[in-house]
Amino acid sequence: MSDIATRVYNHNFKIDPIVRSLIDTDFYKLLMCQSVHRNRPDTNVVFSLINRTKSIPLARLIDEGELREQLDHARSRTLTRGESTWLRGNTFYGKRQMFSPTFMEWFENLRLPPYELERKGDQYELTFEGKWPEVMLWEIPALAILMELRSRAVLATMGKFELQVLYARAMTRLWEKIERLRRIDGLKIADFGTRRRHSFLWQDWCVQAMIEGLGDAFIGTSNCRIAMRRDIEAIGTNAHELPMVYSALADTDADLRQAPYRVLADWHEEHEGNLRIILPDTYGTEGFLKNAPDWLAGWTGIRIDSGDPATGAETAIRWWKERGEDPTRKLIIFSDGLDVEKIEELHAKFAGRVKVSFGWGTLLTNDFRGLVPNDALAPFSLVCKAVSADGRPTVKLSDNPNKAMGPSDEVARYKRVFDVGAQERLEVIV
Amino acid sequence: MSDIATRVYNHNFKIDPIVRSLIDTDFYKLLMCQSVHRNRPDTNVVFSLINRTKSIPLARLIDEGELREQLDHARSRTLTRGESTWLRGNTFYGKRQMFSPTFMEWFENLRLPPYELERKGDQYELTFEGKWPEVMLWEIPALAILMELRSRAVLATMGKFELQVLYARAMTRLWEKIERLRRIDGLKIADFGTRRRHSFLWQDWCVQAMIEGLGDAFIGTSNCRIAMRRDIEAIGTNAHELPMVYSALADTDADLRQAPYRVLADWHEEHEGNLRIILPDTYGTEGFLKNAPDWLAGWTGIRIDSGDPATGAETAIRWWKERGEDPTRKLIIFSDGLDVEKIEELHAKFAGRVKVSFGWGTLLTNDFRGLVPNDALAPFSLVCKAVSADGRPTVKLSDNPNKAMGPSDEVARYKRVFDVGAQERLEVIV
């Protein structure tokens, strides 16, 4: 058992690496990467890190030299032999050889591409530019590095026993959550908390606590490295970046309207079963489902990642019924801003009506709210997104205007093209 | 990351010893031992372990073989060279050579004497018989062994993460207590929790937390081994066993009446300053002080170890005034059943009127109340006392009839001799 507090206290190494492996990343990144590598290998993209919580002055908290060291260390990682073996030999979602030999050969030779870092006031501008399959792999490590350096900056001011008690409190809190979740009959829940985790060691602890505390109700983690270390399932499907980039590349409004479906058509060819999960909210769930081709209704399920989750789930159920599908055989994955109360509520509301599962993120792996003065360890809203593709800006609308991204004229155009009406503005928790 | 060597080492002990050293005991035991070794070396005594909390079936919880192993291991301990150096070279209460060369030579050759162990129903009868200076050293290790074996019996039923969270909760609880104590201006507090500690490692953790959390307000620990390891003061003076044995040896009622003062006369010769602390409650504080010789009023302070502590302190203050002493220059040490609320209350009431200090015991080193089902780790009232001396029974009355000990006819005789009137019955917490 690692003594996390002691470890944190002992961080006087030249560098204590935050990202220790190329697969210390979300599983869906690798699935998407394979798809992009196959379908759009030459697209040029720019990914950019955006701190939505401006009140947290990252550039004042985090030393630029240390940030560069961590980013450079991540760039020094290549796939190890054991990791390659695991990816090649493992069963993912019941399927062997999820990753093709062509992809694996490419991945085995990959290093993360260069980054651009500049301080702008109290924030950092961190951007990644290059071929899509390479650049996209920066998202998760870049977020994890920034999140953990911020944690470390705060922890560096604390005494040894204060640290131990801090982790004692965080452990107690998580365990109390697990004890509540244990009471939910038929729960299925996964760890989706890599990107905004408090730290690598803490995420690893959380996963182990979920394994012991929840048994079969804990279905796995999105983090490949931890899935491998702890011998559990790697979980994930696809994300907004696919429709965002495909849409940016569309030449006309008509093309644009079809872009999100084209993404899923490519995915349909590559994956089956539990990997056929629709993420409908990139440009508004309502319009997306209304205009969707019938074959999409045959997919296994839907992931609800923005807007009011109960509303999103009701929309999906209604849509399946309209398309002649039986909702009780469909899967809804909730993954936006979850904590125990919300999980209990959604499970009570939808279990039985559909198959329900949860991707629990930041409030699993980074709930340090209220544990230090000024709430200096509270999680915050950091994202790393594709901002352009082949020189054209990307746009995301989602079901919550507070999560929208992109130049305002393009946002307006997308709203028109995708026929997005009035949207409810919801606070972005994490 | 597992430290394999440590793991292998841990799993290969023949036993995981509870008492690892002959000085894993209370400092006052060594002081008293030196006094007894000088003044009453040939007295034969019987010490006996008594579980006042009959609802805890020690003999069902604790395997007899394991208990014997632990007791035998304690018997295998002799003073190490480093321990001897520490006792000989250290300054205790500002004085060098607290322990005489004669005593040290004897102590360096000592092993704990044999024990008698028998199961009686759900309890163990554990007795120690022999020369007083040897037998008396069993009290603290015997208690610590029983307490920790009971903890281990409960912990053995728990999972790895349940265990970690249990300690996380206990740490959080202690730290919250420390944060409250930190607010008490001028606090002086010591660890008196060896005998009924949850475990050795936990006591050691508690002491370290007190060091970091309280700074100078934490004046030391009664545990010699931990004082040595953590380089802090060893704290303690004398206890009930001295008047109990001296009294048992008295031939007449008149002798008996003088016995407690004879103890302190011997002590007066041997010690000065902060070691001249009266423990007045063995046969009732009121009568003891009323009949005390004047030279006792010149002593440094008083320890209040039973009865209502505020009442005891008022009695002491009144007595000092009657004897023409200035209470503001006197020290009152509270040491009975303390927890934070009681410490806050007594400090608020007496700071300024006298010098106040606290010996915090069981609820410092064993507050696991409410942390596991059926409160199976709650501390309980286990004592190990001299029950006879040279064949005569000992008696303790104290200021709380629930703490009285001895054959009932002798208790009646002592009450008469010491003129003990009505006493308030108080629940014994720990």
Side-chain angles (χ1 to χ4, degrees), chain A residues 1-2 7 20 159-165 167-169 171-172 175-176 179 205 208-209 212 229, chain B residues 1-2 7 159-165 167-169 171-172 175-176 179 182 205 208-209 212:
Chain A
M1 212 159 312
S2 310
R7 286 289 291 276
R20 297 142 193 240
K160 186 167 160 183
F161 278 75
E162 260 186 303
L163 278 171
Q164 208 173 354
V165 170
Y167 283 106
R169 285 179 171 154
M171 286 174 180
T172 300
W175 196 255
E176 277 159 12
E179 284 178 335
W205 191 91
Q208 292 174 77
E212 180 177 309
R229 260 168 90 102
Chain B
M1 214 153 310
S2 310
R7 284 282 291 276
K160 186 165 157 185
F161 279 75
E162 259 186 305
L163 278 172
Q164 210 174 353
V165 170
Y167 284 105
R169 284 178 172 155
M171 285 175 182
T172 301
W175 196 255
E176 276 160 12
E179 284 177 335
R182 203 186 264 163
W205 191 90
Q208 292 174 76
E212 181 177 308

Side-chain angles (χ1 to χ4, degrees), chain A residues 22 25 29-30 33 47 103 106-107 110 112-113 132-142 241:
Chain A
L22 209 52
T25 192
K29 271 286 170 183
L30 301 188
C33 185
F47 270 62
F103 174 72
W106 171 84
F107 193 36
L110 179 91
L112 290 173
W132 189 9
E134 297 181 7
V135 166
M136 67 188 292
L137 293 174
W138 261 117
E139 176 181 355
I140 310 299
E241 82 174 270

Side-chain angles (χ1 to χ4, degrees), chain A residues 154-218:
Chain A
V154 176
L155 299 170
T157 64
M158 296 172 70
K160 186 167 160 183
F161 278 75
E162 260 186 303
L163 278 171
Q164 208 173 354
V165 170
L166 172 72
Y167 283 106
R169 285 179 171 154
M171 286 174 180
T172 300
R173 175 178 291 177
L174 177 59
W175 196 255
E176 277 159 12
K177 292 184 183 187
I178 288 173
E179 284 178 335
R180 279 178 64 178
L181 292 177
R182 202 186 267 164
R183 287 182 224 124
I184 303 180
D185 199 38
L187 179 71
K188 294 287 166 205
I189 191 164
D191 159 36
F192 276 20
T194 301
R195 68 189 58 210
R196 283 192 282 272
R197 68 191 180 198
H198 169 80
S199 72
F200 171 75
L201 289 176
W202 179 246
Q203 182 183 17
D204 191 37
W205 191 91
C206 293
V207 166
Q208 292 174 77
M210 296 280 277
I211 293 170
E212 180 177 309
L214 292 183
D216 288 347
F218 181 58

Side-chain angles (χ1 to χ4, degrees), chain B residues 178 180-189 210 214 216-219 343-344 347 356-358:
Chain B
I178 288 173
R180 279 178 64 178
L181 292 176
R182 203 186 264 163
R183 289 182 223 125
I184 304 179
D185 199 38
L187 178 71
K188 293 288 166 203
I189 191 163
M210 296 280 276
L214 292 182
D216 288 346
F218 181 59
I219 58 176
I343 293 167
E344 288 169 340
H347 195 273
V356 177
S357 131
F358 297 90

